Amino acid sequence: MSVSTDPTGPERVVAAIIRDGDGRVLVARRPEGKVGAGFWEFPGGKVDPGESQSEALRRELHEELDIAVGACTFLPHYRAATPPGIDLAFWRVDAYEGVARGREGQEIRWCPPDTLPDLPFLPADRPILARLRLPSFYLISDVDHLGEALFEERLAQAAARDALLLQLREPWPASRLRAYAQHLRALLAPYGGRCIVNGDPNELMGCADGIHLPASHLARIDARPAATLVGASCHDAGELRRAAAIGCDFAVLSPVKPTPSHPDAAPLGWARFRELVAEVLLPVYALGGMTIADRVSAETHLAQGVALRSGVFGKDADLPVP
């Protein structure tokens, strides 16, 4: 990252996403006497003049937590609701030495991502909480093509490597979708994976870990379905804004690249994808012609990750890895 030397520019701040071996995230409570006392946040602080973001991150985490940060990665797709004049950048800590402790009297806590929304977080940090609950890969089922036995074999192999999120999307009656969603939910649970089902919330609520709204349903509803996890299919700026407005947890935007399943659809391309995603704080997956290898490009262009069907369940496809 380049270092700004403009004294009239925004105040630059860095924050760290630190996970332990169980996937828990380290958060800190602001102590008495500081602005926002009592609220929780991700550790970090201001970038001093002449510092790069990574240098500031290492200094702040040593001062706050008594740890020595090694490898770290900038997360361009982690964007917060900052007030004007604040430039907040998130970094993932990939390696560090030491045992984290609150050197400045602050309380620290290791939390499973699903429990973070229960804490009173600073408003700027709250959009990040949804991203922490979502994986980089969003898989879309292909049961009709593969058959149940082969599909479940490949799904179990993928789940054993990563705590994935699966969308059950098949042209079936609601009764069959409900029954199979419950079956897949039980299959994924031991791996920490989740299954959500694509279709009408009125017919499918409660049979899976959540609901995925087709664009046609997104256009017809005025409020977020009462599901634990809600996604939506989007194809343009208006649909993305609507998904964000009703409180969806994430969206899928497509098609990014040419895809055999929709040969007549004009692909967005990565530049347009980034423009559209930059308008919302909603986590968005890239769909359409995606492969496992596209994850890095997707995150660089502000995506939460990639959504895959043939790219993971196809005959010659690779499986997701952590």
Side-chain angles (χ1 to χ4, degrees), residues 67-289:
I67 61 175
V69 172
C72 54
T73 303
F74 175 53
L75 303 175
H77 56 302
Y78 275 55
R79 295 172 298 127
T82 54
I86 301 293
D87 180 7
L88 176 56
F90 280 83
W91 287 70
R92 184 182 67 232
V93 172
D94 300 311
Y96 70 89
E97 295 181 354
V99 177
R101 63 186 182 92
R103 294 185 70 182
E104 299 176 343
Q106 76 276 32
E107 180 184 354
I108 66 170
R109 188 180 299 179
W110 292 96
C111 298
D114 285 347
T115 68
L116 291 174
D118 298 331
L119 297 176
F121 264 81
L122 288 173
D125 286 347
R126 294 205 68 84
I128 306 303
L129 306 185
R131 294 190 179 274
L132 291 170
R133 298 172 62 202
L134 297 170
S136 297
F137 298 109
Y138 183 34
L139 308 190
I140 301 172
S141 69
D142 199 9
V143 184
D144 267 359
H145 177 248
L146 295 176
E148 290 186 11
L150 181 56
F151 169 75
E152 291 177 22
E153 177 185 340
R154 292 188 64 81
L155 180 63
Q157 291 172 348
R161 299 189 184 190
D162 198 5
L164 55 81
L165 178 63
L166 171 73
Q167 177 193 151
L168 175 59
R169 188 182 76 187
E170 303 292 338
W172 298 345
S175 58
R176 184 179 177 189
L177 285 172
R178 290 185 62 88
Y180 199 59
Q182 292 170 340
H183 171 69
L184 292 179
R185 187 181 191 184
L187 186 153
L188 291 171
Y191 303 102
R194 291 168 290 177
C195 172
I196 71 175
V197 60
N198 183 307
D200 187 342
N202 295 322
E203 297 179 337
L204 300 171
M205 188 69 68
C207 67
D209 296 299
I211 291 288
H212 186 100
L213 300 171
S216 57
H217 282 77
L218 177 65
R220 295 201 300 265
I221 63 176
D222 298 319
R224 182 187 190 278
T228 302
L229 195 60
V230 178
S233 293
C234 300
H235 307 89
D236 55 36
E239 290 177 347
L240 281 176
R241 287 194 294 268
R242 183 166 184 80
I246 69 168
C248 288
D249 296 291
F250 68 93
V252 171
L253 180 61
S254 67
V256 179
K257 295 181 180 181
T259 173
S261 61
H262 296 84
D264 298 328
L268 295 167
W270 282 121
R272 181 57 178 157
F273 178 91
R274 184 185 180 108
E275 290 176 1
L276 293 174
V277 174
E279 296 179 4
V280 294
L281 288 174
L282 188 70
V284 180
Y285 288 95
L287 175 65

